[in-house]
Amino acid sequence: MTVPAFGLGTFRLKGQVVIDSVKTALDLGYRAIDTAQIYENEADVGLAIAESGVERDALFITSKIWVSHFAKDQLIPSLKDSLKKLRTDRLDLTLIHWPSPGNEVPVAEFMGALLEAKQLGLTRQIGVSNFTIALMKEAIAAVGAENIATHQIELHPYLQNRKVVEFAQSQGIHITSYMTLAYGEVLKDPVIIEIAKRHDATPAQVTLAWAMQLGYSVIPSSTKSANLQSNLKACELTLTDGDMAQIAALDRGHRLTNPQSVAPAWD
């Protein structure tokens, strides 16, 4: 079982907005949906899925455990609560959303609880998000790299996170890129605009295709049907080696997500 290359993100979307986004995406053919406990939209996502009529077995649903639920006696109950909200008996992928602030709950404790959730059939795969190389090493020591399906990190042309990517890939851990479009910043980049013109594509399609061509999964979000449909077409776009080299040169270590309460000391 692998993590789908393309899915729908739901960060910052709530209520009818997220319901409409998920239902529209499913109508268009999306089958992977990414949410999280802290997004406070799992119940809305669950409702949208139920109303879509798409069979559960056709879907790949990801959620993420929030830091306040990391303790061994809390993680599985919190996951069961997420399942109830999402109206399903299991997730396809469950991630640790951020490292435990100040190492309050040791990595071995929450990864052990997450592995137990997998063994209980509450989730088919497990993984991590926003980890440094040092934290990944701890997670691997706790549960084995073979049990870490993906590492979800901020990754876009302006923050290519190469050290973390190289370490994860050396351990056989897949990369999922979030914020691939950098809140739209990279869509104004002249290099990406020029590549898009050459391919008769949009800058968003070029950026998403770049990430997928590097082997990463992407989970862009949108509230507009036209953008959801357009983004999906990135799966059909193939960039040249020259295009890929031009985008590789855009890296400038420009990090957009760095919440003081949970962010680690980045690599």
Side-chain angles (χ1 to χ4, degrees), residues 92-157:
D92 297 286
L93 176 64
T94 305
L95 305 178
I96 294 296
H97 201 158
W98 285 88
S100 183
N103 200 34
E104 186 181 327
V105 180
V107 173
E109 181 176 336
F110 61 68
M111 290 305 297
L114 195 56
L115 181 59
E116 186 184 343
K118 180 183 176 183
Q119 292 162 344
L120 290 170
L122 301 174
T123 184
R124 295 171 73 189
Q125 299 187 94
I126 63 173
V128 297
S129 183
N130 300 303
F131 272 36
T132 60
I133 292 170
L135 288 163
M136 269 197 287
K137 286 178 178 175
E138 285 191 62
I140 289 165
V143 299
E146 70 279 4
N147 279 310
I148 302 173
T150 196
H151 184 197
Q152 188 177 124
I153 51 174
E154 179 184 344
L155 194 152
H156 46 76

Side-chain angles (χ1 to χ4, degrees), residues 20 34 60 98 105 120 128 132 150 180 194 206 229 247:
D20 291 345
D34 181 280
F60 190 98
W98 285 88
V105 180
L120 290 170
V128 297
T132 60
T150 196
T180 317
E194 186 55 39
V206 166
Q229 192 160 18
I247 299 173

Side-chain angles (χ1 to χ4, degrees), residues 10 13 25 74 86 96 104 118 136 151 158 167 196 239 257:
T10 62
L13 305 183
Q74 293 178 40
L86 286 160
I96 294 296
E104 186 181 327
K118 180 183 176 183
M136 269 197 287
H151 184 197
Y158 293 164
F167 177 76
L239 303 179
T257 307

Side-chain angles (χ1 to χ4, degrees), residues 206-253:
V206 166
T207 307
L208 294 167
W210 161 79
M212 287 188 283
Q213 216 160 301
L214 288 171
Y216 313 148
S217 293
V218 295
I219 45 171
S221 66
S222 181
T223 58
K224 296 176 182 172
S225 178
N227 289 346
L228 288 165
Q229 192 160 18
S230 179
N231 287 348
L232 196 54
K233 290 180 182 171
C235 299
E236 301 160 16
L237 177 60
T238 302
L239 303 179
T240 67
D241 290 346
D243 298 333
M244 296 296 285
Q246 279 189 287
I247 299 173
L250 296 177
D251 192 12
R252 57 191 72 167

Side-chain angles (χ1 to χ4, degrees), residues 158-169:
Y158 293 164
L159 180 73
Q160 298 187 23
N161 235 323
R162 290 193 182 105
K163 285 183 186 173
V164 170
V165 168
E166 284 167 14
F167 177 76
Q169 291 179 336

Side-chain angles (χ1 to χ4, degrees), residues 28-88:
L28 291 169
Y30 284 68
R31 289 297 178 263
I33 311 288
D34 181 280
T35 182
Q37 292 175 342
I38 198 67
Y39 298 173
E40 297 181 343
N41 65 10
E42 288 174 315
D44 293 324
V45 170
L47 175 64
I49 290 169
E51 291 184 349
S52 75
V54 176
E55 291 288 328
R56 173 65 185 90
D57 287 347
L59 297 172
F60 190 98
I61 304 174
T62 299
S63 195
K64 311 177 198 81
I65 305 291
W66 187 243
V67 298
S68 56
H69 302 145
F70 282 176
K72 191 179 178 185
D73 61 344
Q74 293 178 40
L75 190 145
I76 287 175
S78 85
L79 175 52
K80 287 179 176 175
D81 188 48
S82 290
L83 294 178
K84 198 178 296 179
K85 289 173 180 171
L86 286 160
R87 307 186 186 202
T88 185

